[in-house]
Amino acid sequence: MKQILAILVNDHAGVLNRVTGLFLRRGYNIDSITVGRSERKGLSRMTIVLDVENPMRAEQVVKQLHKQIDILKVIDLTGRAAVERELAMIRVSSSLQNRGELYNIIQPFRATVIDVGRESITIEATGSSDKIEALIELLRPYGIKELARTGITAFTREMEPV
């Protein structure tokens, strides 16, 4: 089961290390983590995705996060109304003959071509993880040369600000 945590932290050196260290000490592998400045100066927002087998053990980690000085708020977004997005950049083998075909494949995903080379094109896609996975599977037969994904960035819907 995927567990998504939205965390508001002080924007100080070492905070990311302390947060990830807590997961390390508890034996959790972080599936993805995104961090960036928030709308308030001096605060950053983290989105951490875990692959959790035992939700009770994961709850212990959340309680430990609440005890950290630089962590101001932790919200477990799992099963809550939330907006989630991910960015992917995919370099795909492409000859001149199949480029039109590739453009037709990416169009329904609202993906864009951000770079063109002699033997490949680079595609940028944003959306839910399921959407990104579906696009990757459609592009895989053409030969994916390189793939970079940001991981999920998320926050609650309007009713529950973090």
Side-chain angles (χ1 to χ4, degrees), residues 102 105-106 109 133-142 144:
L102 286 169
I105 289 172
I106 68 170
F109 292 90
E133 284 294 330
L135 178 60
I136 290 168
E137 288 308 311
L138 287 173
L139 295 174
R140 196 172 300 281
Y142 293 91
I144 294 176

Side-chain angles (χ1 to χ4, degrees), residues 2-5 7 15-35 46-52 61 65 150-152:
K2 295 276 185 211
Q3 182 175 23
I4 303 171
L5 302 174
I7 305 171
V15 172
L16 177 62
N17 189 33
R18 285 192 291 279
V19 170
T20 56
L22 195 146
F23 287 97
L24 172 69
R25 288 190 297 278
R26 299 287 178 186
Y28 280 101
N29 184 34
I30 295 173
D31 198 44
S32 73
I33 184 168
T34 58
V35 183
M46 294 182 179
T47 304
I48 298 175
V49 180
L50 302 170
D51 195 10
V52 176
V61 174
L65 287 170
T150 60
I152 293 173

Side-chain angles (χ1 to χ4, degrees), residues 7-11 35-38 40 42-46:
I7 305 171
L8 194 62
V9 300
N10 287 321
D11 189 13
V35 183
R37 292 195 171 119
S38 75
R40 289 185 265 173
L43 300 179
S44 292
R45 185 180 309 271
M46 294 182 179

Side-chain angles (χ1 to χ4, degrees), residues 2 10 13 54 66-67 86 94-95 99 101 111 119 141 156:
K2 295 276 185 211
N10 287 321
N54 182 350
H66 282 290
K67 293 179 183 176
E86 183 175 354
S94 170
S95 63
R99 288 202 176 157
E101 195 175 324
E119 298 174 1
T156 58

Side-chain angles (χ1 to χ4, degrees), residues 4-6 47 75-85 128 152-160 162:
I4 303 171
L5 302 174
T47 304
I75 293 184
D76 187 351
L77 297 175
T78 312
R80 296 175 98 166
V83 179
E84 302 172 17
R85 289 291 180 266
S128 68
I152 293 173
T153 295
F155 52 56
T156 58
R157 294 213 177 256
E158 188 174 336
M159 299 80 71
E160 302 176 66
V162 174

Side-chain angles (χ1 to χ4, degrees), residues 33 64 73 99-100 109 121 126 146 148:
I33 184 168
Q64 292 294 316
K73 196 168 193 176
R99 288 202 176 157
F109 292 90
I121 61 172
T126 58
E146 202 169 352

Side-chain angles (χ1 to χ4, degrees), residues 91-133:
R91 182 170 295 133
V92 182
S93 296
S94 170
S95 63
L96 291 175
Q97 291 78 26
N98 71 3
R99 288 202 176 157
E101 195 175 324
L102 286 169
Y103 278 92
N104 288 336
I105 289 172
I106 68 170
Q107 191 176 21
F109 292 90
R110 295 185 192 155
T112 57
V113 173
I114 58 172
D115 190 39
V116 177
R118 286 183 178 192
E119 298 174 1
S120 67
I121 61 172
T122 303
I123 298 163
E124 173 189 273
T126 58
S128 68
S129 293
D130 292 342
K131 175 183 165 184
I132 301 295
E133 284 294 330

